[in-house]
């Protein structure tokens, strides 16, 4: 591509580079190459005056000096798209990170696409069935919507992600895209290996902006993943499951860049452009009449403060929240979803139906009663409760065990065959437990099964 713009480095401040272009400035969001060997890649973000431009670095600026040559073609950063991306790992520049060759038969598209037109969006509310009982019942995902996955290390977040990818391939004949924003190298390597062992890598594209990379790379890697997802949705008409880990690190990268760009910080030190930047990314996740991009995003909440600006802005885009509990993981309930804290805007009668809604409400009420009675049981024993409370406890304990599930992707660890359970079977099973049909069945018969028929 011909270099139409020629300039020189004026100043370097960490991940920010000021460049002088005496004969005309390149457009904002265009890619520039700097240094003696053009190895430092920049992206124009601010035009300071007629000849001075401020850019963010997408690669390390080590060795870049004042007076070095900067060239640009006026084109923006691009990402490869095509079926040959499946099973591969890429970086923010669309180059393979798995040691393999650049894929053949791929086109390239700009990563700075706008969101889908409102007239093209599908307005109907539809459930994205995962085959995972506890999610489908209590925190159903919206097809073409966004779900937040709240969980720390060791509570089964990666396992849940690989199972969702497995079920996406098996049930929806779609593809999955994993976007690691600020991932540790160790986490990325482990996830790549685990997905290969679980047999789900062949229908997955992985994109990483790692923790050791400049904030510019972490800030733009989400756009690269979305560009790939939009290809499969619009061109291939396939449903896409987009997993983002971690959306907070996208906000954090934007905060770093905002400080370096000299913008005055907003509340609690966040960038003043937090809302628009997050919306620019989130609004590209949508359904068309032919296919949908459904996103599940890991969300870190700083200091467990749900009023933190990063959390409140993220919550405004989510339609469901899945909270993972370390306590439940310690008790052996997998997936370790907190049954009372998880919620979904989809859980309403006109979306899921009156039966599902009524069963989910009664399940949650029964579990809440059990939670309130736990202290009394610990101090005085189950026998001291009233007859109705004892019945509620027995139902709750059976529900807790029924809402566990063996996963396909953990069969080589647990020795249990995985189960994918239809939503109707989940609702029926919980309904029958609430009606005391399994009062005489031992609790352990309901643990780690698929549908309720396996407990008979």
């Amino acid at each position: 591509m011909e270099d139409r713009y020629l300039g020189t480095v004026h100043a370097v401040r960490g991940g920010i580079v000021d460049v002088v272009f005496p004969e005309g400035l390149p457009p904002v969001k265009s890619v520039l190459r700097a240094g003696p060997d053009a190895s430092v890649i920049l992206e124009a973000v601010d035009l300071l005056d007629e000849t001075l431009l401020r850019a963010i670095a997408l690669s390390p600026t080590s060795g870049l000096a004042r007076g070095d040559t900067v060239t640009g073609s006026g084109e923006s950063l691009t990402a490869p798209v095509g079926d040959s991306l499946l099973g591969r790992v890429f970086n923010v520049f669309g180059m393979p990170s798995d040691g393999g060759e650049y894929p053949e038969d791929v086109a390239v598209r700009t990563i700075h696409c706008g969101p889908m037109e409102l007239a093209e969006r599908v307005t109907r509310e539809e459930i994205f069935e995962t085959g995972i009982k506890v999610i489908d019942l209590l925190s159903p995902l919206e097809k073409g919507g966004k779900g937040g996955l709240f969980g720390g290390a060791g509570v089964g977040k990666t396992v849940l992600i690989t199972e969702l990818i497995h079920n996406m391939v098996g049930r929806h004949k779609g593809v999955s895209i994993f976007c690691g924003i600020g991932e540790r190298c160790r986490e990325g390597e482990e996830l790549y290996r685990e997905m290969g062992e679980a047999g789900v890598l062949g229908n997955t594209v992985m994109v990483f902006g790692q923790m050791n990379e400049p904030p510019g790379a972490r800030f733009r890697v989400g756009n690269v993943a979305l560009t790939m997802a939009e290809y499969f949705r619009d061109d291939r008409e396939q449903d896409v499951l987009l997993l983002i880990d971690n959306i907070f690190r996208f906000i954090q990268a934007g905060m770093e860049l905002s400080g370096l760009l000299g913008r005055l910080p907003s509340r609690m030190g966040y960038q003043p452009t937090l809302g628009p930047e997050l919306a620019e990314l989130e609004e590209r996740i949508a359904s068309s009449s032919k296919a949908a991009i459904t996103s599940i995003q890991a969300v870190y909440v700083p200091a467990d403060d749900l009023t933190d600006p990063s959390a409140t802005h993220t919550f405004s885009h989510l339609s469901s929240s899945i909270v993972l509990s370390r306590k439940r993981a310690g008790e052996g309930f997998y997936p370790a979803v907190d049954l009372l804290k998880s919620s979904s805007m989809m859980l309403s009668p006109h979306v899921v139906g009156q039966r599902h809604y009524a069963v989910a409400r009664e399940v949650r009420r029964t579990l809440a009663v059990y939670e309130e009675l736990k202290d009394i049981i610990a101090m005085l024993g189950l026998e001291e409760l009233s007859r109705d409370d004892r019945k509620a406890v027995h139902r709750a304990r059976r529900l807790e065990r029924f809402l566990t599930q063996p996963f396909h992707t953990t069969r080589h660890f647990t020795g249990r065959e995985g189960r994918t359970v239809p939503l109707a079977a989940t609702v029926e099973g919980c309904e029958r437990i609430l009606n005391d049909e399994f009062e005489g069945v031992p609790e352990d018969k309901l643990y780690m099964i698929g549908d309720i028929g396996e407990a008979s």
Side-chain angles (χ1 to χ4, degrees):
M1 207 173 291
E2 185 184 350
D3 290 327
R4 294 162 47 201
Y5 301 95
L6 183 64
T8 55
V9 173
H10 178 69
V12 182
R13 292 186 303 281
I16 298 297
V17 180
D18 289 350
V19 187
V20 174
F21 286 93
E23 297 180 5
L25 294 168
V28 169
K29 293 184 178 177
S30 62
V31 173
L32 308 170
R33 294 184 177 274
D37 53 357
S39 60
V40 179
I41 302 174
L42 314 172
E43 184 181 76
V45 289
D46 278 343
L47 307 181
L48 303 180
D49 59 31
E50 293 84 352
T51 59
L52 188 60
L53 172 147
R54 187 159 286 168
I56 59 173
L58 302 179
S59 61
T61 56
S62 175
L64 193 63
R66 186 173 184 176
D68 280 353
T69 301
V70 180
T71 58
S73 63
E75 301 292 326
S76 62
L77 194 66
T78 58
V81 295
D83 291 353
S84 54
L85 269 59
L86 294 170
R88 302 296 303 276
V89 184
F90 297 91
N91 62 15
V92 70
F93 307 113
M95 300 304 292
S97 300
D98 52 12
E101 296 294 321
Y102 190 80
E104 297 178 359
D105 303 320
V106 293
V108 292
R109 293 183 182 173
T110 176
I111 68 166
H112 296 294
C113 298
M116 186 188 296
E117 295 290 336
L118 285 175
E120 297 172 11
R121 292 174 181 247
V122 173
T123 54
R124 67 178 184 274
E125 292 173 317
E126 190 179 341
I127 295 300
F128 178 84
E129 241 186 274
T130 65
I132 299 171
K133 291 183 286 189
V134 64
I135 293 176
D136 289 343
L137 179 74
L138 297 176
S139 187
L141 299 173
E142 179 188 5
K143 193 171 184 181
K146 302 128 199 167
L149 180 61
F150 301 79
V155 294
K157 184 172 62 177
T158 300
V159 173
L160 195 54
I161 283 172
T162 53
E163 186 71 7
L164 285 164
I165 293 171
H166 177 278
N167 292 356
M168 178 68 180
V169 174
R171 294 172 64 84
H172 298 272
K173 309 299 181 195
V175 299
S176 301
I177 295 179
F178 181 89
C179 176
I181 304 177
E183 281 280 282
R184 298 172 184 87
C185 301
R186 170 186 59 78
E187 291 174 336
E189 190 277 331
E190 284 176 1
L191 183 63
Y192 177 74
R193 184 161 33 82
E194 286 171 11
M195 287 170 62
E197 291 169 357
V200 298
L201 191 60
N203 282 77
T204 307
V205 185
M206 302 180 78
V207 189
F208 285 101
Q210 292 171 185
M211 190 175 275
N212 62 319
E213 295 184 37
R218 288 180 270 128
F219 189 65
R220 289 300 185 212
V221 73
N223 297 62
V224 175
L226 270 164
T227 303
M228 294 174 177
E230 286 165 348
Y231 163 80
F232 287 107
R233 180 193 66 192
D234 300 333
D235 293 44
R236 303 295 296 166
E237 296 181 6
Q238 289 179 291
D239 286 336
V240 181
L241 180 63
L242 175 65
L243 299 135
I244 301 176
D245 186 8
N246 189 305
I247 200 70
F248 173 77
R249 294 193 189 124
F250 165 78
I251 294 170
Q252 201 173 37
M255 182 166 57
E256 291 176 45
L257 290 173
S258 180
L260 289 167
L261 287 166
R263 294 171 183 159
L264 284 173
S266 182
R267 189 162 64 96
M268 294 179 69
Y270 285 98
Q271 62 269 44
T273 52
L274 169 58
E277 285 171 0
L278 188 61
E280 189 179 353
L281 190 75
E282 297 279 11
E283 288 304 307
R284 289 175 67 178
I285 301 167
S287 298
S288 71
S289 57
K290 297 171 182 175
I293 299 174
T294 303
S295 176
I296 298 175
Q297 306 170 9
V299 184
Y300 168 70
V301 182
D304 294 330
D305 178 14
L306 294 176
T307 64
D308 188 270
S310 67
T312 53
H313 278 86
T314 305
F315 291 148
S316 66
H317 294 280
L318 301 178
S319 55
S320 60
S321 301
I322 302 162
V323 181
L324 297 181
S325 162
R326 193 172 303 281
K327 182 171 177 286
R328 283 183 62 78
E331 291 169 351
F333 294 124
Y334 291 103
V337 175
D338 192 308
L339 305 174
L340 295 175
K341 290 183 181 176
S342 300
S343 62
S344 172
M345 288 162 54
M346 295 291 101
L347 196 58
S348 61
H350 75 278
V351 178
V352 299
Q354 185 60 44
R355 186 188 178 202
H356 179 171
Y357 176 71
V359 169
R361 278 197 66 180
E362 186 59 24
V363 165
R364 192 163 273 153
R365 189 195 70 79
T366 305
L367 292 165
V369 169
Y370 178 40
E371 192 65 33
E372 288 173 7
L373 294 171
K374 277 183 177 177
D375 287 343
I376 297 172
I377 295 167
M379 289 187 291
L380 304 176
L382 191 62
E383 294 74 20
E384 296 300 315
L385 299 178
S386 67
R387 185 171 175 273
D388 286 344
D389 283 347
R390 281 203 304 274
K391 274 184 169 291
V393 169
H394 288 310
R395 286 187 205 117
R397 289 177 64 85
R398 282 165 174 76
L399 285 167
E400 279 188 330
R401 282 150 182 79
F402 177 62
L403 291 173
T404 61
Q405 186 171 341
F407 282 172
H408 297 276
T409 52
T410 58
R411 184 170 58 86
H412 53 297
F413 295 122
T414 63
R416 296 175 185 265
E417 283 294 329
R419 300 285 191 276
T420 305
V421 184
L423 175 57
T426 301
V427 173
E428 182 195 351
C430 291
E431 194 173 45
R432 290 176 66 185
I433 292 170
L434 290 167
N435 291 335
D436 291 332
E437 289 186 36
F438 290 83
E439 195 173 10
V441 175
E443 291 173 358
D444 61 346
K445 293 284 186 185
L446 293 161
Y447 179 70
M448 281 293 173
I449 62 171
D451 61 54
I452 199 71
E454 295 180 34
S456 303

